[in-house]
Amino acid sequence: MDNVDRRIIKSQKAIQSAFLTMLIEDGFDEISVKKITETADVGRKTFYLHYIDKYDLLDTIVNQRLEELAEICEQKKDKGFIEGTIIWFHYFEQHKAFFSALFASKSTVSFRDQLLGFIMDQLIKKIDKSDPEKDNEILLKFLSMATLGIVESYVLNQLKGSMELVATEVGELIMQTISLAGQKNSST
């Protein structure tokens, strides 16, 4: 039984490794299952034992990345906004080629949706819930979309400045916006 588990893990790692290499070098839109199996040196049957198609494989890898991000967010929860945001952006810096390939693709809408949902889940923990009458949906969506846009621009090298500078400014803007929204709520 142990050999089977190791073979499955070995096959999945080979498939994911081949996929990631092609994603970064060629872009998601150019990848086919045939190319993945040839590069990974596995049969198509082996690929289809583990994944429905290249989108399923992408979702699996994106979910792994989001789990890693969730662990980072859990570790940084006691940090301030700015220090926590720098730690978060550091993760994107480490995996810049991967995220850049996803943001550059026309076919990875589900990735954007997953990342947006993840950002919203993290930000809702930071937004003041002291006023049960106040619906923070617009504030949450605004901050999440803004953060997603900045992450995308950063990963695609469309922003000037170091990772620390970008992350610091994002952290400050989130903190100021949440604070301003809280002040507005208490004065109404």
Side-chain angles (χ1 to χ4, degrees):
M1 185 69 177
D2 212 36
N3 288 338
V4 174
D5 293 344
R6 276 189 268 163
R7 283 194 310 235
I8 289 170
I9 291 168
K10 184 179 176 185
S11 295
Q12 288 175 334
K13 281 185 178 180
I15 291 166
Q16 289 183 16
S17 177
F19 175 80
L20 288 170
T21 300
M22 288 188 288
L23 177 69
I24 292 165
E25 291 176 2
D26 306 326
F28 182 77
D29 300 319
E30 302 302 315
I31 296 173
S32 68
V33 171
K34 183 176 191 260
K35 287 180 185 176
I36 294 168
T37 57
E38 287 171 358
T39 305
D41 196 25
V42 298
R44 289 172 69 88
K45 185 177 177 184
T46 300
F47 178 91
Y48 289 116
L49 279 172
H50 303 292
Y51 309 102
I52 298 167
D53 54 20
K54 72 178 189 175
Y55 295 94
D56 184 41
L57 172 55
L58 174 63
D59 282 345
T60 299
I61 293 172
V62 167
N63 286 333
Q64 289 169 354
R65 293 290 195 260
L66 292 179
E67 286 172 18
E68 291 170 3
L69 265 173
E71 288 174 26
I72 288 169
C73 289
E74 185 60 30
Q75 292 167 4
K76 74 175 185 68
K77 71 179 180 187
D78 297 330
K79 309 279 187 205
F81 264 104
I82 294 165
E83 188 181 352
T85 305
I86 290 171
I87 292 167
W88 202 69
F89 264 80
H90 185 70
Y91 180 83
F92 286 97
E93 175 72 24
Q94 288 177 308
H95 301 283
K96 199 171 192 178
F98 170 75
F99 288 109
S100 178
L102 291 181
F103 279 125
S105 171
K106 293 172 181 28
S107 305
T108 55
V109 174
S110 71
F111 157 69
R112 265 191 179 76
D113 290 344
Q114 286 176 283
L115 186 55
L116 179 62
F118 178 83
I119 292 169
M120 289 176 77
D121 288 345
Q122 295 304 311
L123 284 174
I124 199 155
K125 298 171 188 172
K126 307 284 188 207
I127 294 175
D128 180 23
K129 297 180 199 96
S130 62
D131 183 358
E133 299 294 313
K134 176 71 175 152
D135 182 2
N136 288 314
E137 181 183 6
I138 292 173
L139 175 63
L140 178 62
K141 192 73 160 189
F142 175 80
L143 289 172
S144 299
M145 292 295 290
T147 302
L148 178 66
I150 294 298
V151 167
E152 179 176 3
S153 294
Y154 170 73
V155 165
L156 294 175
N157 296 316
Q158 297 170 342
L159 297 173
K160 293 181 180 130
S162 68
M163 181 272 296
E164 287 84 5
L165 175 74
V166 172
T168 298
E169 287 191 34
V170 169
E172 288 173 352
L173 287 167
I174 290 171
M175 186 173 58
Q176 290 168 6
T177 305
I178 289 172
S179 175
L180 192 61
Q183 289 173 7
K184 184 180 166 208
N185 286 349
S186 64
S187 67
T188 53

